[in-house]
Amino acid sequence: MTLHSSRPSLKTVLIASGVVLTLAMGVRHGLGFWMQPISQANGWTRETYSLALAMQNLMWGVFGPFAGMAADRFGTMRVVIVGAISYMAGLVWMALVTQPTLFIVGSGIFIGLALACTAFGAISGIIGRSAPPEQRSWAFGISSAAGSFGQFLMMPVEQQLISAVGWQNAFYVLAALVLLAMIPMAFYLREPPVSHASGPQQSVGAAFSEAIASRSFWLLLAGYFVCGFQLVFIGVHLPAYLKDQGLMNPNIAVTALALIGLFNIVGSYYAGKLGGKIAKRYLLSAIYVTRAVVITVFLLAPLSAWSVYLFAAGMGVLWLSTVPLTNGIIAGIFGVKHLSMLAGMVFFSHQVGSFLGAWLGGYLYEHQGSYHIVWMITIGLGLLAALINLPIDERAVKRVAVAA
């Protein structure tokens, strides 16, 4: 059997997709470090750069279902290659463009498309199709852990690049790294046409209609909205928040964001592992409740470097732990043939939340001088998401066979 017609092994898929996710998520999580140097260099307020990152997250969500559809239809390899090229273009764009509207729109389109093609939505399909059902949740956990490792690895790298070569050159270095590492990995993600996959040969339209008619699908959408809001608000605004509170050492924020990535390697792996044994909706609910508790304790406790590190460790365990559970529920309910597309649809909701988390943090800071209200919103949404996930029905949909 030729390489083109054979399906890669699960091990190969996990390694290659792990490298792609490590870079895609690692670079993206560190973009908050550029907020102050770019804003100072161009004479912008924090709201301008916050809006640019918010636009990236929103466009990631907009492109997500289409990137997933393309991955299901044409193969993950082609989609990852497009994503790598777009990522490079977006980073170069952020280094060169100084006009605010062009910066916001251009980086939003390039980076948004790049993440849609190289992050969890587009990658989930080949993982779900390569893993047997009993290992699927675990495999999703491994891929989420790779994204978390990227955050742990790339946070200090990006901060050191900015310090060593300047913020513009740091973008150029990352652009080259993304292109040179992702494209070779893409060739290990070849797979035969998905129409050859086992199971009902459902059309894209039928899969879409089936999903939007499902109450559980809408509950997943609502829960994932909260996840996006919480993560991006913290990821983008935590460094600035700590400086506002008097922790001026930038290494504290770098260490905190790296710790989030480090601890989520464990959190994502065990979330995926437990998702094969315990109802995933209960695990999702527990994650959102615990996030609300961790944030509340962080805000009430005396602020110090160690309180920040403990907060980062606690949030880290919970950070991307929702991803293997959410994708596992989608695969369990609807199957794997259109998994990338359906995961992209759910992730669109996540990215609408991400847009609001990034933008609202900057907007309210500029108008009120603090992040207090956004922290309160983040806690309240966590409690709401915990309730939303409980009624999800994880059983596979029953499809009526189509007569010949």
Side-chain angles (χ1 to χ4, degrees):
M1 185 175 290
T2 65
L3 176 65
H4 180 74
S5 62
S6 64
R7 186 174 300 282
S9 69
L10 178 59
K11 179 180 178 181
T12 298
V13 167
L14 290 177
I15 292 173
S17 64
V19 173
V20 173
L21 286 167
T22 293
L23 284 171
M25 299 301 292
V27 172
R28 172 251 181 183
H29 274 297
L31 291 179
F33 292 134
W34 276 267
M35 178 183 289
Q36 290 182 320
I38 285 185
S39 298
Q40 291 171 0
N42 295 322
W44 298 341
T45 65
R46 289 185 192 179
E47 186 179 357
T48 299
Y49 190 78
S50 296
L51 184 57
L53 295 193
M55 184 64 70
Q56 291 175 13
N57 282 285
L58 182 62
M59 297 310 295
W60 181 4
V62 169
F63 288 126
F66 301 101
M69 196 183 305
D72 290 333
R73 176 66 179 86
F74 302 109
T76 306
M77 179 189 72
R78 293 179 175 86
V79 172
V80 169
I81 290 173
V82 170
I85 295 170
S86 186
Y87 220 139
M88 177 203 67
L91 293 170
V92 172
W93 185 275
M94 293 178 74
L96 294 176
V97 176
T98 58
Q99 203 283 329
T101 302
L102 288 176
F103 181 88
I104 292 167
V105 174
S107 67
I109 291 173
F110 284 125
I111 303 292
L113 176 62
L115 289 166
C117 293
T118 58
F120 297 114
I123 299 292
S124 63
I126 191 170
I127 294 173
R129 290 186 286 271
S130 300
E134 65 274 10
Q135 289 187 301
R136 196 171 288 145
S137 182
W138 167 83
F140 286 138
I142 293 290
S143 67
S144 296
S148 303
F149 176 72
Q151 182 174 347
F152 169 70
L153 175 68
M154 295 303 295
M155 285 291 175
V157 169
E158 289 171 70
Q159 181 64 38
Q160 288 300 314
L161 276 175
I162 293 172
S163 300
V165 300
W167 64 267
Q168 276 185 310
N169 289 328
F171 274 136
Y172 299 144
V173 173
L174 290 176
L177 177 62
V178 164
L179 194 68
L180 295 175
M182 280 190 183
I183 288 183
M185 290 299 103
F187 287 95
Y188 291 98
L189 297 175
R190 298 184 186 186
E191 56 181 331
V194 180
S195 60
H196 295 168
S198 60
Q201 299 306 304
Q202 190 182 37
S203 68
V204 170
F208 176 83
S209 298
E210 183 179 74
I212 62 173
S214 168
R215 177 171 173 262
S216 294
F217 190 76
W218 286 101
L219 293 174
L220 282 173
L221 285 169
Y224 233 21
F225 170 90
V226 174
C227 183
F229 186 99
Q230 292 177 324
L231 268 55
V232 172
F233 166 66
I234 293 171
V236 170
H237 293 282
L238 183 63
Y241 171 78
L242 296 179
K243 283 192 175 183
D244 292 342
Q245 299 301 310
L247 295 180
M248 303 302 293
N249 186 348
N251 290 329
I252 295 176
V254 175
T255 303
L257 294 174
L259 283 172
I260 288 175
L262 176 63
F263 278 85
N264 196 228
I265 296 171
V266 177
S268 293
Y269 175 79
Y270 280 102
K273 194 173 180 67
L274 288 172
K277 302 175 182 179
I278 302 172
K280 297 175 184 66
R281 64 188 183 277
Y282 296 147
L283 293 172
L284 284 171
S285 183
I287 287 169
Y288 287 115
V289 166
T290 309
R291 279 186 189 175
V293 171
V294 169
I295 294 170
T296 301
V297 171
F298 171 63
L299 296 176
L300 293 177
L303 188 65
S304 67
W306 281 105
S307 74
V308 174
Y309 298 153
L310 289 173
F311 167 71
M315 283 300 296
V317 173
L318 310 165
W319 196 254
L320 295 177
S321 301
T322 57
V323 175
L325 300 173
T326 301
N327 286 341
I329 290 175
I330 296 170
I333 296 175
F334 303 106
V336 299
K337 182 180 180 185
H338 298 288
L339 178 56
S340 290
M341 181 191 72
L342 296 178
M345 289 171 62
V346 174
F347 199 69
F348 172 72
S349 176
H350 184 284
Q351 294 312 100
V352 173
S354 297
F355 174 87
L356 288 176
W359 171 75
L360 198 61
Y363 176 82
L364 290 178
Y365 179 85
E366 293 299 329
H367 287 78
Q368 299 190 343
S370 80
Y371 291 109
H372 177 73
I373 290 181
V374 192
W375 281 117
M376 296 302 103
I377 293 172
T378 303
I379 294 169
L381 286 175
L383 298 175
L384 179 63
L387 296 174
I388 286 172
N389 278 276
L390 290 176
I392 291 173
D393 185 352
E394 299 181 36
R395 293 173 295 179
V397 293
K398 294 180 179 179
R399 296 181 179 127
V400 178
V402 179

